[in-house]
Amino acid sequence: MTPRDEIDGLRQRMGEAIIGQKSVIERLLIGLLANGNLLVEGLPGLAKTRAIKALARNLDCDFSRIQFTPDLLPSDVTGTEVYHQSADGAAFRFEPGPIFANIVLADEINRAPAKVQAALLEAMEERQVTVAGTTHKLPPLFMVMATQNPVEQEGTYPLPEAQMDRFLMHVLIDYPPVEDEVEVIRLVRGEEIAAQAARAGKAAPERPPAVPQDVVFAARAEIGRIHVSPAMERYMADLVNATRHRDGYGDDLKRWIEVGASPRASLALDKCGRTHAWLNGRDYVDPEDVRAITPDVLRHRLTLSYEAQGEGVSADRVVEELIAQVALP
């Protein structure tokens, strides 16, 4: 099987566990294949954690989950030096923390104080952890998926805008349609019945083998060869540049945006655009690939003005206006 066939199979298996969230599954795969980290936001009960676990369960990888709380320490995430004494003598030895896994679920990241958030974000950016003057490399396949709840703000520590920029995409999860919610009820009921049967000693249905990590690396190599025309490169750069220099793009954008996106946004558009094209079976990037992922790439990189906030204008509304105003070269 080709890497695309394997990834399509992974997407199908995730779709069996996550009903009505095809867009979210696609974004998780884009994050994995683009070698980036994701911030997943949604109301409680919308399968944020379940979606991330479904990806890890069907991939041959180490998975760890960190429940962020106000009393968490940086060493609880990165690991620490531990004093060991044996017959051969005593020495300090590094004990890796849960960050040393292939897929790390940072659950409710906004519940931990800034020092813990900074420790995680440093690992995301540098792909390494330094403890007691020694640098420890993270695995070649490494991905952080952080979740946060948008409505409960008491006892939380919102991520600073500059640190949000380190996430490749900010993925929003919304309520599923009522037809899909019926399927969710049936799915969870079936899982409960299967779990009861397993406890009774009945044989569980055989699961297909997990997708090897080599498939991910092979897919990344193919994505690296996706053709991006000079016109598409300019289009991506124009979209980001329009968030900084807003003259000529309508009065609304000038009023709504306080601070535009950084060059990381341009790099993310390129990575995610190529990955989106590859997942849809194309060897080139077209405008729809860029427009499809622009909201996820930009919504957390824009600082909206007080005027926009007062008018109730969301980041997605700003991105929608941006796409309407910026023409193809």
Side-chain angles (χ1 to χ4, degrees):
M1 295 177 68
T2 66
R4 184 178 284 110
D5 293 334
E6 294 271 17
I7 296 299
D8 283 343
L10 174 60
R11 173 159 47 182
Q12 181 179 351
R13 276 182 262 170
M14 291 177 65
E16 293 171 356
I18 309 297
I19 305 297
Q21 301 287 4
K22 292 182 180 179
S23 175
V24 173
I25 292 172
E26 183 178 61
R27 267 51 181 176
L28 295 183
L29 291 176
I30 288 175
L32 174 70
L33 298 176
N35 195 22
N37 305 290
L38 302 183
L39 178 63
V40 184
E41 183 174 318
L43 294 167
L46 293 184
K48 299 185 297 294
T49 301
R50 183 184 178 92
I52 295 167
K53 285 184 175 180
L55 172 60
R57 186 171 58 250
N58 290 289
L59 190 63
D60 183 17
C61 67
D62 294 325
F63 172 74
S64 69
R65 178 182 182 271
I66 310 171
Q67 179 63 54
F68 278 61
T69 56
D71 60 346
L72 203 67
L73 298 174
S75 58
D76 295 328
V77 174
T78 62
T80 188
E81 295 279 330
V82 178
Y83 185 74
H84 286 269
Q85 190 166 9
S86 64
D88 299 327
F92 282 94
R93 195 164 62 203
F94 178 67
E95 293 291 339
I99 195 71
F100 286 86
N102 300 120
I103 294 182
V104 179
L105 168 58
D107 215 356
E108 295 188 292
I109 187 175
N110 56 336
R111 290 200 174 276
K115 188 179 291 187
V116 180
Q117 294 175 1
L120 175 69
L121 294 169
E122 180 185 9
M124 288 165 42
E125 184 75 10
E126 306 297 335
R127 303 299 173 102
Q128 64 186 28
V129 170
T130 301
V131 176
T134 303
T135 298
H136 307 272
K137 294 289 186 182
L138 291 168
L141 180 64
F142 175 73
M143 181 183 186
V144 171
M145 296 186 185
T147 70
Q148 67 178 14
N149 183 336
V151 294
E152 197 172 27
Q153 300 305 321
E154 185 175 352
T156 63
Y157 304 82
L159 288 168
E161 288 81 355
Q163 293 183 352
M164 294 270 283
D165 194 31
R166 300 190 185 187
F167 288 99
L168 182 73
M169 291 191 294
H170 180 190
V171 181
L172 297 183
I173 301 183
D174 203 354
Y175 291 114
V178 66
E179 296 83 5
D180 289 334
E181 194 149 357
V182 172
E183 293 300 320
V184 170
I185 294 171
R186 294 170 180 166
L187 173 66
V188 173
R189 183 194 301 137
E191 290 175 346
E192 291 173 351
I193 293 172
Q196 292 169 359
R199 284 193 292 269
K202 297 181 181 179
E206 187 176 350
R207 289 176 52 192
V211 175
Q213 292 187 23
D214 287 344
V215 170
V216 176
F217 297 129
R220 288 178 180 176
E222 291 186 5
I223 291 168
R225 295 190 292 269
I226 294 291
H227 176 68
V228 184
S229 68
M232 291 310 305
E233 292 173 339
R234 181 57 187 265
Y235 182 51
M236 290 185 281
D238 283 345
L239 282 169
V240 177
N241 187 63
T243 68
R244 308 169 194 151
H245 307 288
R246 297 172 285 279
D247 290 334
Y249 294 105
D251 293 334
D252 285 339
L253 289 181
K254 291 175 66 175
R255 293 188 302 109
W256 291 343
I257 300 177
E258 184 74 24
V259 180
S262 76
R264 282 196 183 113
S266 303
L267 299 175
L269 284 176
D270 175 57
K271 288 181 180 179
C272 297
R274 284 186 282 116
T275 307
H276 189 273
W278 185 85
L279 285 172
N280 286 277
R282 291 190 299 278
D283 60 358
Y284 62 92
V285 175
D286 70 11
E288 289 309 309
D289 293 313
V290 177
R291 290 168 181 157
I293 50 86
T294 295
D296 303 280
V297 168
L298 290 184
R299 66 166 56 101
H300 60 301
R301 291 185 162 97
L302 300 177
T303 301
L304 303 188
S305 66
Y306 287 113
E307 190 173 354
Q309 295 175 41
E311 295 177 9
V313 176
S314 66
D316 282 5
R317 175 69 185 90
V318 175
V319 173
E320 181 183 328
E321 181 67 18
L322 185 73
I323 292 173
Q325 291 289 339
V326 178
L328 283 168

